[in-house]
Amino acid sequence: MAYEERLSTITLIAAADYSDASAQYRFVISSGEGGFLRSTAGADAIGVCQDDPNLNQASCIAIGGISKLIAGDVITAGDPISSDDEGRAVTAASGDFILGTAINPAAAAGIVIPVLFEKAGKA
């Protein structure tokens, strides 16, 4: 079961329409204009989106602590985590930015798991 604990958060403006929940519990990157976009594969994400904002709507972004994240593939507990091309959590590959550690495993893509969001450089 996924959970959140001791989240540090900031508020940023969505630079795209994510009202379909396509950014919720996914890594996000800076839009370069004070807002955010859903992360790309291996990117240096700034946090994890906690809701499903419309374009130009304020959103809660977790920047530290244990957050729910949607898995993009099979994940083993303890794996270093990175982002796939849809902002989902995947096991970090060589050259990816490590964004955290999986607390629980994911048996398949689409499962929500707790991840300790804690940047650790490149894999």
Side-chain angles (χ1 to χ4, degrees):
M1 179 170 137
Y3 60 92
E4 297 173 333
E5 187 174 323
R6 296 184 186 183
L7 283 180
S8 294
T9 62
I10 59 174
T11 301
L12 293 175
I13 303 299
D17 182 9
Y18 296 118
S19 60
D20 62 355
S22 61
Q24 185 176 33
Y25 303 134
R26 296 175 191 238
F27 290 114
V28 296
I29 58 175
S30 172
S31 68
E33 299 173 0
F36 73 91
L37 294 165
R38 193 173 65 196
S39 186
T40 54
D44 188 12
I46 57 174
V48 179
C49 183
Q50 299 298 298
D51 43 30
D52 52 355
N54 293 315
L55 173 65
N56 295 323
Q57 182 179 14
S59 184
C60 181
I61 307 297
I63 59 169
I66 297 173
S67 177
K68 294 178 183 177
L69 270 158
I70 297 173
D73 201 354
V74 174
I75 296 173
T76 301
D79 278 356
I81 297 299
S82 185
S83 174
D84 72 2
D85 61 349
E86 296 180 23
R88 300 175 301 180
V90 292
T91 301
S94 180
D96 289 349
F97 279 94
I98 297 172
L99 303 172
T101 305
I103 304 296
N104 289 350
I111 294 174
V112 179
I113 62 169
V115 171
L116 173 60
F117 183 75
E118 186 175 54
K119 294 182 175 190
K122 285 192 172 187

